[in-house]
Amino acid sequence: MSASRRSGTTDELGPDEPERDGADLLAALLDGMDAALCAFDADGVVTHWNREAERILGWSAAEAVGRRGLTGWAARSADAEEVETRLMSAMHAPGRQVHEFALVTKDGGRVLVRTQSAAVRGPDGKPAGVYCAFSEVHAQIDLERSIALSEALFEDASWGVVLVDADLRPAVVNAHAARALGTGRTAVLGRPLGELLAQGVEELESALTHVLAEGAPPAPAEIWVSVRAPEGAKRRCWRCGFVRLASPLAEEPVPLGVGWLFQDVTEAKQGEQEASLLRFRTNQLHRAARAAAECEDPAEAATVHLDFALAGFADHALLDKVAGGPLTDAGAAGPVRLVRFAATPSGAPGPTFPAAEAGLPVRYGDGHPALQCVARSGTVRAGVGTVPTEQARAWATARQWPRDTVHALCAVLRSRGRTLGVVTFLRGSGRTQFERSDIAYAEDVAVRVAAALDLATEARRERD
């Protein structure tokens, strides 16, 4: 327990109890401090010594209070004069003074401490002594590093840093995170994550809740989110790390929230996905070519190419040939009719089957994407957009497509400078619309299908 010198009487102040209560309160306050504290009177005699000072140097309050200076016990004789002079100089200096000293522990060791000392004023305003707060230098450096790290993270970090409270609302946000969320640093504070993110909120909140309950995960997590923005939601991939924050002042760990660090890896992930997709599609084309090479009937080879192309690409495929034979560029002026050659089942996905040989034209209306594809000799995309389900089904039915179709891609079949027909790939609502990379793949498939159909036509002519 801390101790201090007590002298004089209390007759003029009243009973002894209030003074003792005040002294006990002072002793409790001093002993509860995280920093070591000692005090000297004007003559350099130790008047106060708390438990943290005892912990660092080993000298108890009973052994320290009443000693004059530090010579011979807490400081080496060679250093004591300089140490005491610098400490006591604070009595006549404005503000606080900071020094570093090597002090001696009770067991004879030495410890480097950093001190902050300032004058103690008496009732008349004159210096009456000095108080000195000190801590081990390495502990002070650790504290300064922690503070510096915290400030750097919230000012200069090149990744997003967000402190989320126990209610899963942002409490502190750095500049990088604010830019990623599309708002200001203060505007985001206290707002539910659902107001900032259009998608990915459930997954992110689940991760934060897990960290609060169980602690940090062993590895970063990649979470896809859609950030709300004035121009519309932006889909991003964030590589996230989480740490649970607990109060260092509580006897038992009390969660204060979660430290959430994230970095935008959207471009890298998209590059990985595109490379993986390209490898898969190249492999499919290779496998299709090998399988088609084993087909005796070129018409069967054409459907084999479609079956391999559908994997991971589309839900349905339609293969239509130009009625009356291949169409040259010079003969493309009149109306064009298309005859169904092969198609996948209109219900559940399945292999491509040849159509009936009646040769009846498909009832495509004017402006149908397949007819536009033939007229342009180029690829045409079509989509229903954002409409109610019934309207989407009516849109698909009117174009002679399965009712669940919402996206279509028509690629022209060209061989030896002639148009043979159209291959149409269809996607349902569970897939995204066709992109530019999908167009290139569809055109690669169309080239192979067209070559097989052209060979089938020539073979039939030879048989006839």
Side-chain angles (χ1 to χ4, degrees), residues 5-316:
R5 294 190 304 166
R6 300 179 186 173
S7 61
T9 63
T10 59
D11 294 337
E12 297 181 1
L13 300 176
D16 291 345
E17 286 75 7
E19 183 189 12
R20 279 201 302 274
D21 291 345
D24 291 342
L25 175 60
L26 175 61
L29 291 173
L30 294 179
D31 283 343
M33 295 178 62
D34 291 331
L37 185 137
C38 64
F40 304 86
D41 63 13
D43 297 324
V45 177
V46 178
T47 60
H48 295 80
W49 190 267
N50 73 347
R51 284 185 177 178
E52 184 65 12
E54 179 180 349
R55 186 193 68 79
I56 294 176
L57 297 179
W59 301 96
S60 67
E63 295 171 314
V65 172
R67 290 179 180 263
R68 182 181 296 277
L70 303 175
T71 305
W73 62 289
R76 294 195 312 171
S77 300
D79 302 331
E81 182 178 355
E82 179 187 359
V83 171
E84 293 172 7
T85 299
R86 293 168 70 179
L87 284 176
M88 298 307 293
S89 66
M91 191 166 56
H92 303 287
R96 293 180 297 175
Q97 292 188 341
V98 179
H99 301 287
E100 289 186 3
F101 302 121
L103 298 183
V104 178
T105 63
K106 187 176 181 179
D107 58 7
R110 300 183 70 193
V111 58
L112 184 63
V113 300
R114 179 172 295 175
T115 66
Q116 295 186 36
S117 54
V120 176
R121 305 287 175 179
D124 56 358
K126 295 181 179 180
V130 173
Y131 81 83
C132 173
F134 63 93
S135 60
E136 296 175 81
V137 167
H138 70 82
Q140 182 71 19
I141 292 176
D142 288 345
L143 175 61
E144 291 178 1
R145 284 174 177 163
S146 297
I147 295 173
L149 174 62
S150 176
E151 292 181 351
L153 286 175
F154 286 103
E155 295 296 336
D156 305 322
S158 59
W159 56 85
V161 182
V162 181
L163 296 189
V164 182
D165 62 22
D167 295 327
L168 306 186
R169 300 194 179 202
V172 185
V173 178
N174 75 343
H176 188 96
R179 288 193 299 269
L181 292 168
T183 184
R185 293 184 64 178
T186 57
V188 70
L189 303 183
R191 295 174 59 186
L193 294 174
E195 294 183 3
L196 305 171
L197 304 176
Q199 294 180 350
V201 179
E202 295 81 3
E203 186 177 358
L204 179 57
E205 289 184 342
S206 176
L208 293 172
T209 303
H210 172 81
V211 174
L212 280 173
E214 304 293 338
E222 292 179 352
I223 301 178
W224 282 93
V225 301
S226 292
V227 181
R228 298 186 188 275
E231 61 274 14
K234 296 181 178 179
R235 187 163 172 78
R236 314 301 298 170
C237 181
W238 291 342
R239 180 171 292 143
C240 303
F242 305 94
V243 291
R244 182 168 59 179
L245 305 178
S247 173
L249 304 179
E251 293 184 2
E252 297 182 359
V254 177
L256 297 177
V258 176
W260 168 32
L261 295 83
F262 66 90
Q263 191 173 30
D264 194 320
V265 294
T266 306
E267 294 184 1
K269 292 301 294 182
Q270 288 177 341
E272 292 176 5
Q273 292 176 351
E274 291 173 359
S276 176
L277 183 60
L278 180 59
R279 285 195 300 270
F280 173 75
R281 290 179 175 177
T282 301
N283 187 47
Q284 286 297 96
L285 291 174
H286 175 72
R287 294 175 60 195
R290 292 182 60 112
E294 301 301 323
C295 297
E296 295 183 4
D297 184 1
E300 182 185 355
T303 60
V304 165
H305 281 292
L306 282 185
D307 289 336
F308 276 93
L310 280 176
F313 181 68
D315 297 318
H316 303 287

Side-chain angles (χ1 to χ4, degrees), residues 338-360:
L338 296 175
V339 177
R340 181 63 42 84
F341 180 78
T344 56
S346 58
T352 306
F353 289 102
E357 297 184 1
L360 297 177

Side-chain angles (χ1 to χ4, degrees), residues 317-323 335-343 360-374 395-402 408-410 421-426:
L318 307 174
L319 185 56
D320 299 327
K321 294 179 62 176
V322 175
V336 176
R337 294 183 303 170
L338 296 175
V339 177
R340 181 63 42 84
F341 180 78
L360 297 177
V362 185
R363 294 181 296 108
Y364 287 151
D366 295 339
H368 191 281
L371 298 178
Q372 294 181 32
C373 179
V374 173
W395 176 85
T397 302
R399 286 157 181 77
Q400 308 300 315
W401 293 332
L409 175 62
C410 298
V422 177
V423 58
T424 303
F425 296 101
L426 305 174

